[in-house]
Coordinates of all heavy atoms in Angstrom, one line a residue:
M243 N 59.6 137.6 34.3 CA 59.5 139.0 34.2 C 59.5 139.4 32.7 O 59.9 138.6 31.8 CB 60.7 139.7 34.8 CG 60.7 139.9 36.3 SD 62.2 140.6 36.9 CE 61.8 142.4 36.7
K244 N 59.0 140.6 32.5 CA 59.1 141.1 31.1 C 59.9 142.4 31.0 O 59.9 143.2 32.0 CB 57.6 141.5 30.6 CG 56.8 140.3 30.3 CD 55.5 140.7 29.7 CE 54.8 139.6 29.0 NZ 54.2 138.6 30.0
C245 N 60.6 142.5 29.9 CA 61.5 143.7 29.7 C 60.6 145.0 29.9 O 59.5 145.0 29.3 CB 62.1 143.7 28.4 SG 63.0 145.2 27.9
E246 N 61.0 145.9 30.6 CA 60.2 147.1 30.9 C 60.0 148.0 29.6 O 59.1 148.8 29.5 CB 60.9 148.0 31.9 CG 60.7 147.4 33.3 CD 61.3 148.4 34.4 OE1 61.5 149.6 34.1 OE2 61.4 147.9 35.5
V247 N 60.9 147.8 28.7 CA 60.8 148.6 27.4 C 60.0 147.9 26.3 O 59.1 148.4 25.8 CB 62.3 148.9 26.9 CG1 62.2 149.7 25.7 CG2 63.0 149.7 28.0
C248 N 60.4 146.6 26.1 CA 59.8 146.0 24.9 C 58.8 144.8 25.3 O 58.2 144.2 24.4 CB 60.9 145.5 23.9 SG 61.9 144.2 24.6
K249 N 58.7 144.5 26.6 CA 57.8 143.5 27.1 C 58.2 142.0 26.6 O 57.4 141.1 26.7 CB 56.4 143.7 26.7 CG 55.9 145.1 26.8 CD 55.9 145.5 28.3 CE 55.4 147.0 28.5 NZ 56.0 147.6 29.7
R250 N 59.4 141.9 26.2 CA 59.9 140.5 25.9 C 60.1 139.8 27.2 O 60.5 140.4 28.2 CB 61.3 140.5 25.2 CG 61.1 140.5 23.7 CD 62.5 140.4 23.0 NE 62.5 140.9 21.7 CZ 62.9 142.1 21.4 NH1 63.4 142.9 22.3 NH2 62.8 142.6 20.2
E251 N 59.9 138.5 27.2 CA 60.2 137.7 28.4 C 61.7 137.7 28.8 O 62.5 137.6 27.9 CB 59.8 136.2 28.2 CG 58.3 135.9 28.4 CD 57.9 136.3 29.9 OE1 58.7 136.2 30.8 OE2 56.7 136.6 30.0
T252 N 62.0 138.0 30.0 CA 63.4 138.1 30.4 C 63.5 137.8 31.9 O 62.6 138.1 32.6 CB 64.0 139.5 30.1 OG1 65.3 139.6 30.7 CG2 63.1 140.6 30.6
P253 N 64.6 137.2 32.4 CA 64.8 137.0 33.8 C 65.1 138.3 34.6 O 65.1 138.4 35.8 CB 65.9 136.1 33.9 CG 66.7 136.2 32.6 CD 65.7 136.7 31.6
N254 N 65.4 139.4 33.8 CA 65.9 140.6 34.5 C 64.9 141.8 34.2 O 63.8 141.5 33.6 CB 67.2 141.1 33.9 CG 68.2 139.9 34.1 OD1 68.4 139.4 35.1 ND2 68.8 139.6 33.0
R255 N 65.2 142.9 34.6 CA 64.4 144.1 34.4 C 64.3 144.5 32.9 O 63.3 144.9 32.5 CB 65.1 145.3 35.2 CG 64.2 146.5 35.2 CD 64.9 147.5 36.2 NE 64.3 148.8 36.0 CZ 64.9 149.9 36.4 NH1 66.1 149.9 37.0 NH2 64.3 151.1 36.2
Y256 N 65.4 144.3 32.2 CA 65.4 144.5 30.8 C 65.9 143.3 30.1 O 66.6 142.4 30.6 CB 66.4 145.6 30.5 CG 66.1 147.0 31.1 CD1 67.0 147.5 32.0 CD2 64.9 147.7 30.8 CE1 66.7 148.8 32.6 CE2 64.6 148.9 31.4 CZ 65.5 149.4 32.3 OH 65.2 150.6 32.9
C257 N 65.5 143.1 28.8 CA 66.0 142.0 28.0 C 67.5 142.3 27.7 O 68.0 143.4 28.0 CB 65.2 141.9 26.7 SG 65.4 143.4 25.6
E258 N 68.1 141.4 27.1 CA 69.5 141.5 26.9 C 69.9 142.7 26.1 O 70.9 143.4 26.4 CB 70.0 140.2 26.1 CG 71.5 139.9 26.3 CD 71.9 138.6 25.6 OE1 71.1 137.7 25.6 OE2 72.9 138.6 25.0
L259 N 69.2 143.0 25.0 CA 69.5 144.2 24.2 C 69.3 145.5 24.9 O 70.1 146.4 24.8 CB 68.6 144.2 22.9 CG 69.0 143.1 21.9 CD1 67.8 142.8 21.0 CD2 70.2 143.4 21.2
H260 N 68.2 145.6 25.6 CA 67.9 146.8 26.4 C 68.8 146.9 27.6 O 69.2 148.0 28.0 CB 66.4 147.0 26.7 CG 65.6 147.3 25.5 ND1 64.6 146.5 25.1 CD2 65.7 148.4 24.7 CE1 64.1 147.1 24.0 NE2 64.7 148.2 23.7
E261 N 69.2 145.8 28.2 CA 70.1 145.8 29.3 C 71.5 146.4 28.8 O 72.1 147.2 29.5 CB 70.3 144.4 29.8 CG 71.2 144.2 31.0 CD 70.7 144.9 32.3 OE1 69.5 144.8 32.6 OE2 71.5 145.6 32.9
N262 N 71.9 145.9 27.7 CA 73.2 146.4 27.1 C 73.1 147.9 26.9 O 74.0 148.7 27.2 CB 73.4 145.8 25.7 CG 74.3 144.6 25.9 OD1 75.0 144.4 26.9 ND2 74.3 143.7 24.9
A263 N 72.0 148.4 26.3 CA 71.8 149.8 25.9 C 71.8 150.6 27.2 O 72.4 151.7 27.3 CB 70.6 150.0 25.1
Y264 N 71.1 150.1 28.2 CA 71.0 150.7 29.5 C 72.4 150.9 30.2 O 72.8 151.9 30.7 CB 70.1 149.9 30.5 CG 70.0 150.5 31.8 CD1 69.2 151.7 32.0 CD2 70.5 150.0 33.0 CE1 69.0 152.3 33.3 CE2 70.4 150.5 34.2 CZ 69.6 151.7 34.4 OH 69.5 152.2 35.6
G265 N 73.2 149.8 30.1 CA 74.6 149.9 30.6 C 75.4 150.9 29.9 O 76.2 151.7 30.6
N266 N 75.3 151.0 28.6 CA 76.0 152.1 27.9 C 75.6 153.5 28.2 O 76.4 154.4 28.4 CB 75.8 151.9 26.3 CG 76.6 150.7 25.8 OD1 77.6 150.3 26.4 ND2 76.1 150.1 24.7
I267 N 74.3 153.6 28.4 CA 73.8 154.9 28.8 C 74.3 155.4 30.1 O 74.8 156.5 30.3 CB 72.2 154.9 28.8 CG1 71.7 154.9 27.4 CG2 71.7 156.1 29.6 CD1 70.1 154.7 27.3
M268 N 74.3 154.5 31.1 CA 74.8 154.8 32.5 C 76.3 155.1 32.4 O 76.8 156.0 33.1 CB 74.6 153.6 33.4 CG 73.1 153.3 33.6 SD 72.1 154.7 34.2 CE 72.7 154.8 35.9
Q269 N 77.0 154.3 31.6 CA 78.5 154.5 31.5 C 78.8 155.8 30.9 O 79.7 156.6 31.4 CB 79.0 153.4 30.6 CG 80.4 152.9 31.0 CD 80.8 151.7 30.2 OE1 80.2 151.4 29.2 NE2 81.8 151.1 30.6
K270 N 78.1 156.2 29.8 CA 78.4 157.4 29.2 C 78.0 158.6 30.0 O 78.6 159.7 29.9 CB 77.7 157.5 27.8 CG 78.5 156.7 26.8 CD 77.9 156.9 25.4 CE 78.4 155.8 24.4 NZ 77.4 155.4 23.5
F271 N 77.0 158.5 30.8 CA 76.5 159.6 31.6 C 77.6 160.0 32.6 O 77.8 161.2 32.8 CB 75.2 159.2 32.4 CG 74.7 160.4 33.2 CD1 74.4 161.6 32.6 CD2 74.5 160.2 34.6 CE1 73.9 162.6 33.4 CE2 74.1 161.3 35.4 CZ 73.8 162.5 34.8
E272 N 78.3 159.1 33.1 CA 79.4 159.4 34.0 C 80.4 160.4 33.4 O 80.9 161.3 34.0 CB 80.2 158.1 34.4 CG 79.4 157.2 35.3 CD 79.0 157.9 36.6 OE1 79.8 158.5 37.3 OE2 77.8 157.8 37.0
V273 N 80.7 160.1 32.1 CA 81.6 161.0 31.3 C 81.0 162.4 31.1 O 81.6 163.4 31.3 CB 82.0 160.3 30.0 CG1 82.9 161.2 29.2 CG2 82.6 159.0 30.2
W274 N 79.7 162.3 30.6 CA 79.0 163.5 30.1 C 78.8 164.5 31.3 O 78.8 165.7 31.2 CB 77.7 163.2 29.5 CG 77.8 162.9 28.0 CD1 78.3 161.7 27.5 CD2 77.6 163.8 26.9 NE1 78.3 161.8 26.1 CE2 77.9 163.1 25.8 CE3 77.1 165.1 26.9 CZ2 77.7 163.7 24.5 CZ3 77.0 165.7 25.6 CH2 77.3 164.9 24.4
K275 N 78.4 163.9 32.4 CA 78.0 164.8 33.5 C 79.3 165.6 34.0 O 79.1 166.7 34.4 CB 77.3 164.0 34.6 CG 78.0 163.7 35.8 CD 77.2 162.9 36.8 CE 78.1 162.1 37.6 NZ 77.7 160.9 38.2
D276 N 80.4 165.0 33.9 CA 81.6 165.7 34.3 C 82.1 166.6 33.2 O 82.4 167.8 33.5 CB 82.8 164.7 34.6 CG 82.5 163.9 35.8 OD1 81.7 164.3 36.7 OD2 83.0 162.8 36.0
A277 N 82.0 166.2 32.0 CA 82.5 167.0 30.8 C 81.6 168.1 30.5 O 82.1 169.2 30.2 CB 82.7 166.1 29.6
A278 N 80.3 167.9 30.5 CA 79.4 168.9 30.0 C 78.5 169.4 31.1 O 77.7 170.3 30.9 CB 78.5 168.3 28.9
G279 N 78.6 168.9 32.4 CA 77.7 169.4 33.4 C 76.3 169.2 33.2 O 75.4 170.0 33.5
M280 N 76.0 168.1 32.5 CA 74.6 167.8 32.1 C 73.8 167.1 33.2 O 74.3 166.3 33.9 CB 74.6 166.9 30.9 CG 74.3 167.5 29.6 SD 74.1 166.3 28.3 CE 74.3 167.4 26.9
S281 N 72.5 167.5 33.3 CA 71.7 166.7 34.2 C 71.2 165.4 33.6 O 71.3 165.3 32.3 CB 70.4 167.6 34.6 OG 69.5 167.6 33.5
W282 N 70.7 164.5 34.4 CA 70.3 163.2 33.9 C 69.2 163.4 32.8 O 69.2 162.8 31.8 CB 69.8 162.4 35.1 CG 69.2 161.1 34.9 CD1 68.0 160.6 35.3 CD2 69.8 160.0 34.2 NE1 67.8 159.3 34.9 CE2 68.9 158.9 34.2 CE3 71.0 159.8 33.5 CZ2 69.1 157.6 33.7 CZ3 71.3 158.5 32.9 CH2 70.3 157.5 33.0
E283 N 68.3 164.3 33.1 CA 67.2 164.5 32.2 C 67.6 165.1 30.8 O 67.2 164.7 29.8 CB 66.1 165.4 32.8 CG 64.8 165.3 32.1 CD 63.7 166.1 32.9 OE1 63.9 166.4 34.1 OE2 62.7 166.5 32.2
Q284 N 68.5 166.1 30.9 CA 69.1 166.7 29.7 C 69.8 165.7 28.9 O 69.7 165.6 27.6 CB 70.1 167.8 30.1 CG 69.5 169.1 30.5 CD 70.6 170.1 31.0 OE1 71.5 169.7 31.7 NE2 70.6 171.3 30.5
Y285 N 70.5 164.8 29.6 CA 71.3 163.8 28.9 C 70.4 162.8 28.2 O 70.6 162.4 27.0 CB 72.1 163.1 30.0 CG 72.8 161.8 29.5 CD1 73.9 161.9 28.6 CD2 72.5 160.6 30.0 CE1 74.5 160.7 28.2 CE2 73.1 159.4 29.6 CZ 74.2 159.5 28.7 OH 74.8 158.4 28.3
L286 N 69.3 162.4 28.9 CA 68.3 161.5 28.2 C 67.7 162.1 27.0 O 67.5 161.5 26.0 CB 67.3 161.0 29.2 CG 67.8 160.1 30.4 CD1 66.6 159.9 31.3 CD2 68.3 158.8 29.9
N287 N 67.3 163.4 27.1 CA 66.7 164.1 26.0 C 67.7 164.1 24.8 O 67.3 164.0 23.6 CB 66.3 165.5 26.4 CG 65.0 165.5 27.0 OD1 64.0 164.9 26.5 ND2 64.9 166.2 28.1
E288 N 69.0 164.3 25.1 CA 70.0 164.4 24.1 C 70.1 163.0 23.4 O 70.2 163.0 22.2 CB 71.4 164.6 24.9 CG 72.5 165.0 24.0 CD 72.4 166.5 23.5 OE1 71.6 167.3 24.1 OE2 73.0 166.8 22.5
I289 N 70.0 162.0 24.1 CA 70.0 160.6 23.5 C 68.8 160.4 22.5 O 69.0 160.0 21.4 CB 70.0 159.5 24.6 CG1 71.3 159.6 25.3 CG2 69.8 158.1 23.9 CD1 71.3 158.7 26.6
V290 N 67.7 160.8 23.0 CA 66.4 160.6 22.2 C 66.5 161.4 20.9 O 66.1 161.0 19.9 CB 65.2 161.0 23.1 CG1 63.9 161.0 22.2 CG2 65.0 160.1 24.2
E291 N 67.1 162.7 21.0 CA 67.1 163.5 19.9 C 68.2 163.3 18.9 O 68.2 163.8 17.8 CB 67.0 165.0 20.3 CG 65.6 165.4 20.7 CD 65.6 166.6 21.6 OE1 66.5 167.4 21.6 OE2 64.6 166.7 22.4
N292 N 69.3 162.7 19.4 CA 70.5 162.5 18.6 C 70.2 161.4 17.5 O 69.9 160.3 17.8 CB 71.6 162.0 19.5 CG 72.9 161.9 18.8 OD1 73.0 161.8 17.5 ND2 74.0 162.1 19.5
Q293 N 70.4 161.8 16.3 CA 70.1 160.9 15.1 C 71.1 159.8 15.1 O 70.8 158.8 14.4 CB 70.0 161.7 13.8 CG 71.3 162.4 13.5 CD 71.3 163.0 12.1 OE1 70.8 162.4 11.2 NE2 71.8 164.2 12.0
F294 N 72.2 159.9 15.7 CA 73.2 158.9 15.7 C 73.1 157.8 16.8 O 73.8 156.8 16.8 CB 74.6 159.5 15.7 CG 74.9 160.4 14.6 CD1 75.0 161.8 14.8 CD2 74.9 159.9 13.3 CE1 75.2 162.6 13.7 CE2 75.2 160.8 12.2 CZ 75.3 162.1 12.4
T295 N 72.1 158.0 17.7 CA 71.9 157.1 18.8 C 71.2 155.8 18.2 O 70.3 155.9 17.3 CB 70.9 157.7 19.8 OG1 71.4 158.9 20.2 CG2 70.8 156.8 21.0
G296 N 71.7 154.7 18.7 CA 71.0 153.4 18.2 C 69.6 153.4 18.7 O 69.2 154.0 19.7
I297 N 68.8 152.6 18.0 CA 67.4 152.5 18.4 C 67.2 151.9 19.8 O 66.3 152.3 20.5 CB 66.6 151.6 17.3 CG1 65.1 151.5 17.7 CG2 67.2 150.2 17.2 CD1 64.4 152.8 17.5
W298 N 68.0 151.0 20.2 CA 67.9 150.4 21.6 C 68.1 151.4 22.7 O 67.3 151.5 23.6 CB 68.8 149.2 21.7 CG 68.7 148.2 20.7 CD1 69.5 147.9 19.6 CD2 67.6 147.2 20.5 NE1 69.0 146.9 18.8 CE2 67.9 146.5 19.4 CE3 66.5 147.0 21.3 CZ2 67.0 145.5 18.9 CZ3 65.6 145.9 20.8 CH2 65.9 145.2 19.6
A299 N 69.1 152.2 22.5 CA 69.4 153.2 23.5 C 68.3 154.3 23.5 O 67.9 154.7 24.6 CB 70.8 153.9 23.1
K300 N 67.8 154.6 22.3 CA 66.7 155.6 22.3 C 65.5 155.1 23.0 O 64.9 155.8 23.8 CB 66.3 155.8 20.8 CG 66.5 157.2 20.4 CD 66.2 157.4 18.9 CE 67.4 158.3 18.4 NZ 67.2 158.8 17.1
E301 N 65.2 153.8 22.8 CA 64.0 153.2 23.5 C 64.2 153.2 25.0 O 63.3 153.5 25.8 CB 63.7 151.8 23.0 CG 63.1 151.8 21.6 CD 62.9 150.4 21.1 OE1 63.3 149.4 21.7 OE2 62.4 150.3 20.0
V302 N 65.4 152.9 25.5 CA 65.7 152.9 26.9 C 65.6 154.3 27.4 O 65.0 154.6 28.5 CB 67.0 152.3 27.2 CG1 67.4 152.5 28.7 CG2 67.1 150.8 26.8
A303 N 66.2 155.3 26.7 CA 66.1 156.7 27.2 C 64.7 157.2 27.3 O 64.3 157.9 28.2 CB 67.0 157.6 26.2
Q304 N 63.9 156.9 26.3 CA 62.5 157.3 26.3 C 61.8 156.7 27.5 O 61.0 157.4 28.2 CB 61.8 156.9 25.0 CG 61.8 157.9 24.0 CD 61.6 157.4 22.6 OE1 61.5 156.2 22.4 NE2 61.4 158.3 21.6
H305 N 62.0 155.4 27.7 CA 61.4 154.8 28.9 C 61.8 155.4 30.2 O 61.0 155.6 31.1 CB 61.9 153.3 28.8 CG 61.5 152.5 30.1 ND1 60.2 152.1 30.3 CD2 62.2 152.1 31.1 CE1 60.1 151.5 31.4 NE2 61.3 151.4 32.0
L306 N 63.1 155.7 30.3 CA 63.6 156.3 31.6 C 63.0 157.7 31.8 O 62.7 158.1 32.9 CB 65.1 156.4 31.6 CG 65.8 155.1 31.6 CD1 67.3 155.2 31.3 CD2 65.6 154.4 33.0
L307 N 62.8 158.5 30.7 CA 62.2 159.8 30.8 C 60.8 159.7 31.2 O 60.3 160.5 32.0 CB 62.3 160.5 29.4 CG 63.6 161.2 29.1 CD1 63.6 161.6 27.6 CD2 63.8 162.4 30.0
K308 N 60.1 158.7 30.8 CA 58.7 158.5 31.1 C 58.5 158.1 32.5 O 57.5 158.3 33.1 CB 58.0 157.5 30.2 CG 57.3 158.1 29.0 CD 56.5 157.1 28.2 CE 57.4 156.3 27.3 NZ 56.7 155.1 26.7
N309 N 59.5 157.4 33.1 CA 59.4 156.8 34.4 C 60.4 157.4 35.4 O 61.0 156.7 36.2 CB 59.7 155.3 34.3 CG 58.6 154.6 33.5 OD1 57.5 154.3 33.9 ND2 58.9 154.4 32.2
K310 N 60.5 158.7 35.3 CA 61.4 159.4 36.3 C 60.8 159.3 37.7 O 59.6 159.4 37.9 CB 61.5 160.9 36.0 CG 62.4 161.1 34.8 CD 62.7 162.6 34.7 CE 61.5 163.4 34.6 NZ 61.0 163.6 33.3
E311 N 61.7 159.0 38.7 CA 61.2 159.0 40.0 C 61.1 160.4 40.6 O 61.9 161.3 40.3 CB 62.1 158.2 41.0 CG 61.8 156.8 41.0 CD 62.8 155.9 40.3 OE1 63.3 156.3 39.3 OE2 63.1 154.8 40.9
Ligands
ZN528 ZN1 63.7 144.9 25.8

């Protein structure tokens, strides 16, 4: 398989770096959605626009925004 974000060869849906970033995003959303009542989409936009977000998380957030079900 190839990482859905960067197309690196990986046995999973995401490579190790993007998998880590994805895990962090999911984990933090649990907190944010309770604390700030944010929707998934608002939250992803927040990540993309936040200058303090790491590049890996930003790439994953952009990818998730583009591929909303
Ligand atoms: Zn990747």
Side-chain angles (χ1 to χ4, degrees):
M243 280 177 86
K244 286 190 165 70
C245 171
E246 285 186 15
V247 179
C248 66
K249 314 294 181 212
R250 270 189 204 96
E251 277 300 331
T252 169
N254 308 306
R255 186 171 167 202
Y256 299 116
C257 67
E258 207 177 316
L259 289 162
H260 285 122
E261 181 66 46
N262 265 341
Y264 181 72
N266 285 335
I267 286 173
M268 297 307 285
Q269 212 174 14
K270 282 191 194 139
F271 181 58
E272 289 303 312
V273 179
W274 274 80
K275 107 179 152 204
D276 292 337
M280 258 190 195
S281 75
W282 177 231
E283 197 174 339
Q284 280 174 317
Y285 172 69
L286 291 176
N287 277 313
E288 195 73 18
I289 292 172
V290 172
E291 279 156 30
N292 188 333
Q293 60 174 318
F294 299 111
T295 308
I297 182 70
W298 304 105
K300 241 176 226 190
E301 285 176 357
V302 172
Q304 267 161 352
H305 172 76
L306 292 169
L307 277 168
K308 263 190 281 173
N309 296 278
K310 285 192 304 275
E311 270 113 320

